[in-house]
């Protein structure tokens, strides 16, 4: 397969971060400070990069309950460079860890920045840990996406475009796709976030 890809001119991915599994990440996170713990669990639940989650302010949490958390990514540094009407603007968190994350939020809000630990700082911290040294900050996002792919392969009905949307990647269309123009007409942000259906993925993470 790799030879065929090289012959066709396609680049073969290499030297990517090793995906971290959920149990390993949760065990590590529970031994950290509240801010680092919340950042790690949110990064997993939203299949996000560490820096994206660390930069969140409490104002970007549109709703926080033990059953549901809704995040608006628009005001993050990366979000400001994106089209604000892209389907990936919101994440709706449901399922396991949601109640714990809601408690962490209530204990720490308000905040202008969720976590001061940078991506480089997390990499350095993990490099010193025997349990985490083979991982990097990007391992969280890779682990979450890899886990979702595994569920889909087993028949769990998670549309691939929802994985794209949750991971804030460019969507390629399909039956579940929605245009930015349509999103722009949606005035109720909570309703819009739910309609975009990222909860179909987060309930399994």
């Amino acid at each position: 397969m790799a030879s065929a890809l090289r012959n066709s001119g396609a680049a073969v991915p290499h030297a990517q971060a090793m995906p971290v599994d959920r149990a390993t990440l949760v065990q590590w996170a529970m031994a950290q400070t509240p801010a680092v713990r919340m950042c790690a669990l949110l990064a997993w639940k939203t299949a996000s990069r560490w820096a994206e989650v660390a930069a969140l302010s409490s104002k970007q949490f549109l709703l926080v309950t033990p059953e549901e958390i809704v995040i608006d990514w628009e005001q993050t540094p990366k979000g400001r460079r994106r089209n604000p009407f892209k389907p990936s603007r919101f994440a709706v968190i449901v399922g396991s860890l949601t109640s714990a994350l809601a408690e962490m939020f209530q204990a720490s809000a308000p905040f202008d920045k969720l976590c001061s630990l940078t991506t480089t700082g997390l990499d350095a911290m993990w490099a010193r840990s025997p349990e985490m040294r083979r991982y990097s900050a990007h391992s969280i996002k890779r682990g979450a996406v890899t886990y979702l792919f595994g569920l889909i392969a087993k028949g769990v009905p998670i549309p691939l475009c929802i994985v794209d949307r949750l991971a804030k990647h460019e969507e390629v269309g399909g039956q579940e796709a929605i245009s930015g123009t349509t999103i722009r007409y949606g005035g109720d942000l909570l309703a819009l976030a739910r309609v975009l259906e990222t909860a179909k993925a987060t309930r399994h993470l």
Side-chain angles (χ1 to χ4, degrees):
M1 174 64 76
S3 176
L5 285 171
R6 281 194 295 270
N7 291 338
S8 67
V12 179
H14 63 283
Q16 296 191 53
M18 177 178 290
V20 66
D21 64 89
R22 184 182 189 275
T24 298
L25 180 67
V26 171
Q27 182 177 6
W28 174 83
M30 291 306 176
Q32 308 308 311
T33 64
V36 171
R37 182 183 312 133
M38 185 175 176
C39 193
L41 299 183
L42 275 176
W44 174 266
K45 286 291 286 185
T46 61
S48 297
R49 293 178 182 270
W50 181 269
E52 292 174 322
V53 178
L56 285 169
S57 74
S58 56
K59 293 180 180 179
Q60 291 174 254
F61 289 75
L62 304 184
L63 177 73
V64 178
T65 72
E67 296 78 30
E68 183 183 42
I69 297 173
V70 181
I71 296 174
D72 182 352
W73 297 106
E74 184 187 7
Q75 298 305 314
T76 60
K78 189 173 181 179
R80 285 193 289 268
R81 298 196 298 269
R82 290 197 301 260
N83 178 350
F85 304 112
K86 291 185 72 171
S88 57
R89 172 175 169 174
F90 302 100
V92 177
I93 300 170
V94 297
S96 64
L97 298 177
T98 306
S99 177
L101 284 167
E103 288 185 18
M104 295 177 207
F105 177 86
Q106 299 298 346
S108 57
F111 49 84
D112 294 324
K113 186 176 182 180
L114 173 57
C115 182
S116 60
L117 183 65
T118 63
T119 298
T120 302
L122 179 63
D123 285 341
M125 179 185 292
W126 280 3
R128 297 189 297 269
S129 168
E131 296 80 13
M132 306 300 290
R133 63 178 49 160
R134 59 182 177 155
Y135 303 116
S136 71
H138 200 47
S139 294
I140 302 175
K141 181 170 184 172
R142 285 209 72 211
V145 172
T146 298
Y147 181 73
L148 290 174
F149 282 166
L151 292 178
I152 294 169
K154 293 176 182 177
V156 177
I158 307 171
L160 287 173
C161 67
I162 299 298
V163 180
D164 272 342
R165 190 172 300 165
L166 182 66
K168 295 174 285 300
H169 294 161
E170 189 68 33
E171 294 186 46
V172 295
Q175 188 176 5
E176 302 289 334
I178 182 172
S179 74
T181 303
T182 302
I183 291 173
R184 186 165 58 184
Y185 280 87
D188 184 334
L189 295 185
L190 277 178
L192 178 58
R194 289 166 177 153
V195 165
L196 292 171
E197 297 186 316
T198 51
K200 285 185 175 180
T202 65
R203 74 173 63 256
H204 298 287
L205 287 170

